[in-house]
Amino acid sequence: MMRSAVLLFGLFIFMFLSPSDILAQDVNNPDLVDNYKAFTAGGHLKNMHIWHGFVVHPGAIFATNLEYNTGNKKFTFGFWGGASFTTVDVYNPDANQYVSANYKEFSIYAVYRFSDKFFVEAVTHNNYTGVEERGDVLHYWSYDKTQGYNFVDLNFGYNITDNTLLYLATILAGRSGDYEVQIDGSLKDSWTHYFEIKSKVWQKNDYNLSLFAGGAWSFFTDKTFYTQGAGNLINIGAALSKNIHIGSYKMPVEVTAMWNPEQEKTVLQLDITLF
């Protein structure tokens, strides 16, 4: 439902964003004023796309983002999108055959940072890969429980040290299949929680190594968004980042080794930040 998504982001923005936040910058500091960029964009090239222990797409993709940041760096509102170079097979029941579909995602996010340690984030994930290819009508703003490609996360992050982040994400209102079918046929929302701890454990020059572990559970159902049975560890691994220097240009690169014990899946992701 479009209304629920709009209300969520409208509430989030107006709770934390005021006119003073929008214009917040030290006008007495010319250097700060000159360096402040309200709008930024970025691009990534990845050999695959992983997220919270999922292999969202197994092949190469190009991802990009466009975002707005306030001068005091407390508030961010942005768009994130991805498109693949390779396809996956989806089943079209009308044609009674599998057809190829490219990965396509257009998500929206908003972040408010209460301090250097604590932030709140809302994300509407809109992954519409294969929707039209399998014969469905694409409704970008649809948040129907059973249509399976749009849902909203409410996330909290807290840095317990400069190197260690605790991260909690909760899927709202049973969207995108985050529910359990009851005996009477009714749908019980799971409100699945995902919790991750990530810590930088080694640094040498511009090399950084981080370890992470994440798990999912629900207080209301056995099935969760990430697991078919009870809660479980779903995302364990390590990420090594460094900068590749090409003349005066610095290109950040990160390699992530991820293991999902629930799905018995292990992958290695390469993420190159182009700009």
Side-chain angles (χ1 to χ4, degrees), residues 105-138:
E105 181 170 345
F106 185 98
S107 296
I108 309 170
Y109 57 92
V111 184
Y112 188 82
R113 301 167 187 85
F114 289 89
S115 67
D116 292 339
K117 293 182 176 294
F118 178 61
F119 68 85
V120 178
E121 177 184 44
V123 184
T124 173
H125 300 273
N126 300 286
N127 182 346
Y128 50 99
T129 303
V131 174
E132 295 171 295
E133 288 85 354
R134 66 176 179 248
D136 294 344
V137 177
L138 177 62

Side-chain angles (χ1 to χ4, degrees), residues 53 194 212-214 233-238 257-261:
Y194 172 81
F212 59 86
L233 284 172
I234 59 169
N235 190 21
I236 302 172
M258 185 273 289
W259 171 47
N260 184 331

